[in-house]
Structures are given as structure tokens and as C-alpha cells.
Amino acid sequence: MASLIKVKNLTKKFGDLVAVNNISFEIQEKEIFGLLGPNGAGKTTIINMLSCYLEPTSGEAWIADKSIIKEPQEVKKIIGLVPQEIALYPNLTAIEHLKFFGRIHNIPSKKLEEKCKELLNLVRLYERRNDLVKIYSGGMKRRLNIACGLLNDPKFLMMDEPTLGVDPQSRELIFENIFKIRERGVAILYTTHYLEEAERLCDRINIIDEGKSLALGSLDELLTRLEAKIEIKPTKAGRLEQLFIQLTGKRLRD
Amino acid sequence: MKHLLLFTTKEFLILWRDKGALVMLLLVPIVLIVIASFALSGVFGGGKMDIKLPVINYDKEGEISQEIIAILENHPNITLEKDISKDEAQAKVGEGKYPAALIIPENFSQKITFGEKTELKLLYDPNSNVEYPFVKGVIEGIIEKINSIRLAIQTALIEVNKVNSQLDPEKIVKEAHEITQNLAAEGGLKLTLFKAREETREADPFAQNVPGYAIMFMLFGILGGIEALLEEKETGIFKRILSLPIKKYSLLGGKLLSWFLIAILQMAIILTIAHFIFDLYLGKSILALILVVSTCSFASTSIGTLISAFVKSKKTGHTNVYIDYFGYVSFRWFLVASLD
Ligand SMILES: Nc1ncnc2c1ncn2[C@@H]1O[C@H](COP(=O)(O)OP(=O)(O)O)[C@@H](O)[C@H]1O
Ligand SMILES: [Mg+2]
């Protein structure tokens, strides 16, 4: 089966800093692909390039055979983005957000009504749809942030640390939603620095640091392949955590 | 185009809900204008009026002129300045130091008594909006009184002469005839008004302050718009919108259009309030006013665009330089507006 997303030798430099260094991977339909790395690893920069916000310094990527460099307008129609930041207007309500972004997607108004209702129910904000975002809790904002990325039924959904600062209840709901979205055949790129999230959610994981890919594969693959080389101790810390620390080192990232 | 309107309506909705911004955009400028105007204004500031009125009397011995001066001297709101030459009075009224100056011509009393044509002259400053009309009202009142007294005296005189008609009937009839004719022709004593300078409206503190403050706060409004734009860049909204299938110009165009419209509305509201509540003089041509307002709005929107084009993020060092510079420009404007 041909991959839905193909990323080839993607590189982004900011002056002397190589934020993304020659990264390649592919993602299939219905796959949850994790980008796991400490702060500053280059996760957001990869997403910025795949969502046509930043131009790569070199390399290429295709989403459903559309080039992010040559056909950005086509790419934008089939992707969904959940930015790392809470990309919402404090003075608009949930329903106003969905309608605003939906109209940018040129969704006909009748269909947009239905879509809004469906998404509000999905992220459990239907009851609060007419409240201003500024009075929402962190978890509610994160959930709306996600709903806004789903309006156009994307084939490829990018979620940049979507659980940052939420309580366990909202996190559970978000995970539940991600599995539901995957069932529709969507390919999902999920970035996180929480190991247990990657462990629970992702079919395959790409561990990156300082812009470089350190290891790529399913959790089991990663562990068996690397356990041979790296000594994994039977301690309290999870196996992935030991692996992660082994790969990325103990230097603090601020 | 559809997207452009979508963005503009969204901006307006957000602004409408942001009461703080509305207060900054409209209420603060109006309050500031009112405070500054009252503080700068001698007319409004004093409480009880005390008007200094120069009188140049060429009818030194005349009883009627003495009477007029006495009436004015006893007026609670008027203090007479009598030791002043005509030239000096004219110059000072022209400079706005006095609201008006009263000139009593030679042989005034005598002419009044004999029903001859004469007039009181009032030299005035057209830019005095309160004091001059007040003085004029007082003097017109005096003239009315003189006219009715004169009519009474002359009628009485005719009657007395009729009784003494044996003295010279022909002469008396002739005299009476002349007096009546003069009265009919002249309609009595008149007040003639002379402008001491051209009307400029310059002296009105509102006229002086409103446009300056309005433009200053328009710049503040645009500054707020730039801040909001930076915030959008930081909060990822910008990124989200640019990841949607939309032309970049709709996003920027929507911003510009809404800034432009907000600036125009802001100016219009401030000027309207200033006009109807504080009687601000807005010039003779509505069209010219609209043109000026639009041009100002357009200019400040352009400044805003220029700045936002340079500004990458609120956090980077460069940004603050531009924001500070913009703040500096607005501040300078404020100074110019308040000192001018
Ligand atoms: N616009 C930019 N200009 C300069 N450096 C940047 C920019 N965006 C990101 N970086 C740098 O690139 C590196 C990767 O950042 P990022 O992709 O945000 O990491 P992550 O999302 O994994 O935390 C960091 O060192 C960051 O400081
Ligand atoms: Mg990031």
C-alpha cells in the first residue's frame, strides 16, 4: 500500500541552527505516528513545514501525492492542524470559532451546522458552545483547539502536543477522540515529549533530538532492536523512558 | 472577497466584545478631550463671569454717555477699562485680550437729545463665544431703554411746545416734524458692530484639542490592532489560519480593512460627540470632513501595516523597538496636540 504521507530528507535551518536535519518518514492511512523528542528537538518545525507554514530549506514532502512546496493550496485542503499553542480567540464562543474556520474552508452553511454539532459533541463542548473561550478551562480550550482542526474532515491530522496542561479527564477524552478519528481512515501525526503518551497511542514512533532522527519503529521494534545495543535495567522507570534517556542523554533542555 | 468580509466581521465582533478596547478607543479620548479643553479654557474655567470691557468715550461731557457708562459700571459681570486709547483697544480685542470694546462717538448725547442720527460702536472679537455675545446683549438692552426714553422725551417736547405755541408756531411745528421724520427714518439709536479680526475659531479649546486627540487615539487604536496581530502570531491563530486554504491577502486584507473601518468609525464617533455636545466646529463641508477623516484613517492604517510587516514576534528584540517607536510617535503627537 502506498503511504499517504511521504517525508523525504526534510531540513530546516534558522541561520546557523539546524532545527530539522534530514528527516525522512512515511505515514499510512489509519496510522498514528508519533514524533517523540525533548523540547527544542524540532517537532513543531516539522509540523510547520508539513502544514505549509514554513518552507523547508531542503527536502520534500507529499501529502496524498500533493507536494507541500509546489501545491500548498491543495495540501491545505486535506490537512488538519492542531497547533501546539491554543490558537483561539478569547472573545469568541466555541460555535463562533467553528463557524469562522468552517467558512474559511468554504463549507456550505447547512453542512457546517451539522459539522459544528458533531464536533462539539465529539469534544463534549456542545452544552458550552455559546460561552466565550476566555472563561473555558485549559482542558476545554485544548478540546476546542482539536475540534477546529477537524472541520474539513482532513485526511492527515497533525497534532502538536495537544494535551499540554490538561487534567487526566480531558486527556482521556482526547485519546478517545484520537482513536475515533483514526477509525475514519485518517493518518495522524502526534508530537509529544510524554513517553507514556507515545507508548499508549502511537503505532510507530520516531524519536528525534536536535533535529535528527535517532530511532524509528513500533514500540516493540524499537525496544528489541535497541535492547541488544543498550543496557536496559529492570528498574521502576518504564522501558521506553530508559531507552529515551539513553538515546537523548541527560542534558537539560530549556 | 467573501473571506475578506468574514475576517472583517470577525474583527468587529471581537472588538465589540472587548470592552476594554472600546473604552480605550472611544471613552478615554472623549473624557481626555473634555478635561483638557476645560482646563485650557479660561472661559469655562472661571465659574462667575468677570468681563473686562474697554470704553472709549469721545462724548466726555455728555449726560447720556455718562448714564450708559454708569449702567455698565454697575453691572455685576462687567468691569470697565476707561483709560485706554482706541488703537490700543482695537489691538487688544484683535489679540483676543478683550472680547469687545465700546466706542461712544463725539456729541453723542447732544445728537440723541435732538433726535439726530448717531450710533454706538462695538468692536468685537468673533472668536469670543461667550463673553462677546454677553456684552452685546447688555449694550443692546441699554440702547432699547434709551430709545424708549428718547421717544417719550420727544413726544413730551412736542406737547410742551404745543402749549407754548404762541412763541413761534411755525418753528415748533417744523421741529416736531423733523424729529418724527428722523425717528422714523433711523428707527432710533443703533448699535453698530465692528469685527476686530477675522473669525478663526482658533481660540476654541475644543476645536483645538479634538482633532489632535482623535488622531492620537486613532494611532493608539492601530497600535492595539498591531498588538492583537502579534498576539495572533504568538497564539498560533496565525499559523492555524495560514494552514487553511486561504489566500494570504484575505487575512491581511481583512485586518487592514477592519483597522481602516475601525479608525474611521472611531474618528466619526469622537467628532460627532464633540460636535453635538461641545459644539465643535467641523468646517463647512461634510465632504471635505469625510475626506480628511478617511485620509487620516488610511494613513494610520498604512503606518500600522508597515510596522506589522517588520514585526515578527512580540518576543523578539526588534519588535519592541518598533512598538516603542510607534508609541513615541503617538506621544509626540499628543504633545503637539496639547501644546499647539
Ligand atoms: N522561527 C524560528 N526562528 C529561529 N529558531 C527557531 C524558530 N522556530 C524554532 N526555532 C528553533 O528550532 C529548534 C526546534 O524548535 P521546535 O521545532 O519548536 O522544537 P520542539 O517543537 O520539538 O520543542 C529550537 O532550537 C528552536 O529554538
Ligand atoms: Mg513544539
Side-chain angles (χ1 to χ4, degrees):
Chain A
M1 188 178 68
S3 304
L4 189 69
I5 288 94
K6 288 177 223 145
V7 177
K8 215 174 158 191
N9 305 327
L10 210 55
T11 299
K12 181 73 194 181
K13 293 180 185 165
F14 296 111
D16 288 339
L17 178 84
V18 188
V20 175
N21 194 346
N22 206 26
I23 295 274
S24 303
F25 57 83
E26 298 192 355
I27 309 175
Q28 316 295 321
E29 275 178 30
K30 273 197 172 194
E31 184 177 29
I32 302 175
F33 186 89
L35 278 179
L36 178 63
N39 287 333
K43 306 182 293 294
T44 300
T45 308
I46 293 173
I47 286 197
N48 284 348
M49 289 187 281
L50 294 181
S51 55
C52 311
Y53 180 66
L54 286 179
E55 273 206 22
T57 309
S58 63
E60 236 307 17
W62 294 266
I63 290 153
D65 293 325
K66 307 267 192 290
S67 158
I68 59 162
I69 297 167
K70 294 185 198 100
E71 304 155 277
Q73 290 301 326
E74 293 303 309
V75 168
K76 285 174 182 182
K77 284 179 194 162
I78 53 172
I79 60 169
L81 173 66
V82 179
Q84 180 175 349
E85 304 86 2
I86 293 176
L88 303 169
Y89 298 101
N91 275 322
L92 293 185
T93 65
I95 189 91
E96 282 164 354
H97 274 93
L98 294 173
K99 289 199 169 156
F100 174 65
F101 291 123
R103 289 200 187 108
I104 296 180
H105 274 299
N106 293 317
I107 302 172
S109 52
K110 189 130 193 294
K111 198 175 159 220
L112 184 56
E113 292 281 338
E114 286 162 21
K115 196 76 208 163
C116 290
K117 198 170 170 194
E118 177 205 317
L119 290 176
L120 286 168
N121 281 322
L122 181 75
V123 297
R124 308 243 179 96
L125 284 175
Y126 190 76
E127 305 297 315
R128 304 290 302 272
R129 65 188 181 284
N130 289 321
D131 289 344
L132 295 182
V133 162
K134 65 179 168 197
I135 63 166
Y136 281 9
S137 71
M140 292 164 78
K141 287 178 188 162
R142 283 282 166 199
R143 274 140 58 199
L144 181 59
N145 207 30
I146 293 170
C148 290
L150 296 170
L151 278 157
N152 58 331
D153 291 322
K155 287 184 178 169
F156 177 39
L157 178 64
M158 288 173 264
M159 306 178 93
D160 198 355
E161 312 208 23
T163 58
L164 220 57
V166 306
D167 57 19
Q169 283 76 15
S170 272
R171 180 194 299 246
E172 279 311 305
L173 180 67
I174 290 171
F175 284 5
E176 209 179 282
N177 288 340
I178 290 172
F179 288 125
K180 271 191 203 160
I181 295 160
R182 188 243 301 264
E183 284 318 301
R184 299 174 188 171
V186 178
I188 297 170
L189 179 65
Y190 189 98
T191 82
T192 183
H193 61 263
Y194 297 124
L195 302 158
E196 65 281 6
E197 286 195 356
E199 218 168 333
R200 241 187 93 183
L201 274 175
C202 301
D203 302 311
R204 284 190 304 146
I205 300 168
N206 193 352
I207 299 179
I208 62 168
D209 193 20
E210 292 172 337
K212 287 195 281 278
S213 175
L214 301 176
L216 193 159
S218 70
L219 183 60
D220 285 341
E221 277 170 8
L222 284 181
L223 291 172
T224 45
R225 201 189 307 162
L226 290 158
E227 264 167 349
K229 291 186 208 162
I230 300 163
E231 213 180 312
I232 302 271
K233 298 184 191 106
T235 57
K236 264 191 193 160
R239 296 195 303 162
L240 182 61
E241 183 168 345
Q242 289 186 46
L243 175 65
F244 185 79
I245 294 290
Q246 286 281 359
L247 284 170
T248 59
K250 288 193 172 134
R251 188 172 56 83
L252 286 178
R253 318 297 157 85
D254 297 311
Chain B
M1 192 60 208
K2 206 181 75 188
H3 284 163
L4 197 69
L5 289 178
L6 181 65
F7 276 95
T8 308
T9 31
K10 186 255 317 171
E11 294 287 329
F12 268 88
L13 184 61
I14 287 176
L15 177 66
W16 179 245
R17 296 219 175 117
D18 189 350
K19 299 300 176 220
L22 279 184
V23 164
M24 187 63 196
L25 238 44
L26 295 173
L27 199 64
V28 171
I30 288 167
V31 169
L32 203 73
I33 287 164
V34 171
I35 291 173
S37 302
F38 276 86
L40 292 174
S41 149
V43 177
F44 300 102
K48 184 174 169 284
M49 255 198 299
D50 182 24
I51 302 168
K52 295 205 164 43
L53 177 68
V55 176
I56 300 101
N57 187 6
Y58 293 117
D59 183 36
K60 282 278 184 266
E61 309 301 318
E63 276 177 31
I64 296 178
S65 14
Q66 294 302 330
E67 189 58 32
I68 290 176
I69 288 171
I71 292 171
L72 288 174
E73 255 173 349
N74 286 328
H75 197 287
N77 298 111
I78 293 175
T79 312
L80 290 187
E81 306 267 329
K82 287 188 278 193
D83 300 323
I84 192 167
S85 75
K86 191 186 166 197
D87 287 344
E88 197 186 340
Q90 179 146 21
K92 286 198 168 161
V93 174
E95 287 164 16
K97 299 234 169 72
Y98 295 118
L102 180 66
I103 299 162
I104 305 174
E106 255 178 292
N107 302 325
F108 174 75
S109 304
Q110 201 190 333
K111 284 183 177 170
I112 293 275
T113 317
F114 289 102
E116 281 173 37
K117 182 179 168 184
T118 184
E119 62 191 4
L120 282 174
K121 289 181 185 172
L122 192 63
L123 193 68
Y124 72 98
D125 174 8
N127 298 315
S128 165
N129 294 328
V130 178
E131 298 190 345
Y132 157 64
F134 184 85
V135 169
K136 185 175 162 235
V138 171
I139 294 176
E140 277 171 347
I142 295 173
I143 287 177
E144 223 169 278
K145 245 185 230 165
I146 292 176
N147 277 337
S148 51
I149 292 170
R150 188 163 72 147
L151 195 65
I153 290 173
Q154 284 165 348
T155 319
L157 203 64
I158 293 165
E159 293 304 318
V160 169
N161 282 337
K162 267 187 200 160
V163 175
N164 299 330
S165 53
Q166 68 269 32
L167 293 176
D168 188 351
E170 248 174 80
K171 194 187 161 214
I172 289 163
V173 170
K174 206 177 137 215
E175 255 181 28
H177 185 69
E178 264 174 23
I179 289 169
T180 348
Q181 265 200 336
N182 276 340
L183 270 176
E186 301 300 330
L189 173 62
K190 267 191 194 157
L191 181 68
T192 316
L193 304 169
F194 295 94
K195 269 189 206 179
R197 60 167 159 179
E198 277 314 301
E199 195 167 357
T200 57
R201 288 273 172 182
E202 207 181 290
D204 181 351
F206 284 100
Q208 208 170 15
N209 287 335
V210 171
Y213 283 116
I215 287 180
M216 181 181 100
F217 278 92
M218 188 157 80
L219 287 177
F220 276 146
I222 299 286
L223 193 61
I226 293 174
E227 273 215 348
L229 186 76
L230 293 180
E231 225 169 270
E232 282 189 14
K233 277 193 178 179
E234 257 173 45
T235 56
I237 288 182
F238 210 66
K239 197 198 286 183
R240 160 165 274 151
I241 291 173
L242 288 179
S243 79
L244 302 174
I246 184 182
K247 302 247 159 43
K248 210 169 178 172
Y249 78 79
S250 301
L251 173 63
L252 294 175
K255 279 268 174 244
L256 288 191
L257 187 63
S258 50
W259 287 0
F260 181 58
L261 292 177
I262 287 168
I264 285 192
L265 269 178
Q266 186 195 8
M267 274 290 247
I269 291 172
I270 291 176
L271 292 182
T272 309
I273 289 177
H275 180 63
F276 285 106
I277 299 184
F278 305 112
D279 197 27
L280 171 74
Y281 178 69
L282 289 178
K284 291 179 190 84
S285 160
I286 287 277
L287 203 69
L289 187 67
I290 291 172
L291 202 70
V292 168
V293 168
S294 318
T295 313
C296 287
S297 308
F298 189 74
S300 56
T301 310
S302 310
I303 293 175
T305 324
L306 191 70
I307 290 164
S308 59
F310 282 107
V311 172
K312 277 235 150 122
S313 157
K314 226 172 172 177
K315 282 171 192 154
T316 66
H318 309 286
T319 315
N320 290 332
V321 176
Y322 288 105
I323 291 261
D324 286 351
Y325 182 70
F326 199 57
Y328 171 75
V329 170
S330 310
F331 182 67
R332 282 291 300 274
W333 207 299
F334 172 80
L335 283 183
V336 170
S338 53
L339 292 180
D340 194 23

